[in-house]
Amino acid sequence: AKFSFVIAGDWDCLEGQSTGHSQTAYSEGGANKKIVWNFPFELQYRSTNPSGWPQLVVTCRGPDFFGYDVPYCYGSVHVPSTPGRHIRYIRMYKPVESSLMQRMMGWWKSEPAEFKEGAKNIAFADGREVVRVRSGGIVKIVFQVTQRNMEKAGFTVSKS
């Protein structure tokens, strides 16, 4: 799985790795197709405006029939805005080719339909309303959010 934390506006990543790859894992099929990635993220952000709040974008990749690394599905979720432990579920989706011929050529060339614009396209969905997609499964994410100095920046923080 590939991950990216996407921000907009005046947000800055002060510390941590905002993009990268986790480990590779495969399900053995059957009724239980769960895969577990235990990959911790530790990032620090700074902003004076909540607009453009950070989002986590996940791209699941894997080998196709010929062994080439291809994207399977995409999804995104906003980082929770309150401190504490939060469980979020990302509904993953995969773009669908517009014709059978495109699907066959994509399979033959190991180039299935994919988003070429990167994580910002997935997070902000500009122009994506015309793209046909199908379900790619669900990814469960556990966030442990801490905040500090929010009151100094003029934000009112609710306790969860």
Side-chain angles (χ1 to χ4, degrees):
K2 180 180 175 184
F3 70 91
S4 298
F5 283 89
V6 178
I7 54 177
D10 69 345
W11 285 84
D12 292 319
C13 183
L14 299 177
E15 189 175 315
Q17 184 179 359
S18 61
T19 62
H21 294 272
S22 72
Q23 67 269 24
T24 302
Y26 301 97
S27 70
E28 294 187 20
N32 184 2
K33 294 186 178 184
K34 290 184 181 179
I35 299 173
V36 176
W37 298 299
N38 289 317
F39 194 79
F41 305 109
E42 188 170 339
L43 294 109
Q44 292 181 13
Y45 286 101
R46 174 182 61 191
S47 180
T48 58
N49 187 339
S51 178
W53 194 269
Q55 295 184 58
L56 171 62
V57 175
V58 177
T59 303
C60 293
R61 302 183 65 90
D64 66 357
F65 180 77
F66 300 109
Y68 294 106
D69 185 45
V70 297
Y72 281 119
C73 53
Y74 307 91
S76 65
V77 66
H78 280 91
V79 174
S81 59
T82 56
R85 185 176 189 271
H86 304 273
I87 297 174
R88 297 289 185 262
Y89 294 93
I90 303 175
R91 296 190 183 279
M92 305 297 284
Y93 55 89
K94 178 176 178 51
V96 176
E97 295 84 353
S98 59
S99 71
L100 180 60
M101 179 59 94
Q102 285 180 334
R103 185 177 300 165
M104 287 173 38
M105 289 302 294
W107 179 83
W108 179 256
K109 295 169 70 177
S110 291
E111 295 177 358
E114 65 178 296
F115 293 117
K116 298 281 188 182
E117 300 299 320
K120 286 201 176 218
N121 187 318
I122 298 162
F124 298 118
D126 292 335
R128 206 175 65 212
E129 63 274 359
V130 296
V131 177
R132 293 182 358 195
V133 296
R134 65 182 164 100
S135 176
I138 296 175
V139 172
K140 176 182 174 182
I141 302 287
V142 179
F143 288 100
Q144 182 66 41
V145 177
T146 58
Q147 296 174 341
R148 67 176 187 186
N149 299 330
M150 295 288 282
E151 292 82 8
K152 288 182 184 177
F155 295 105
T156 303
V157 179
S158 64
K159 307 295 183 209
S160 62

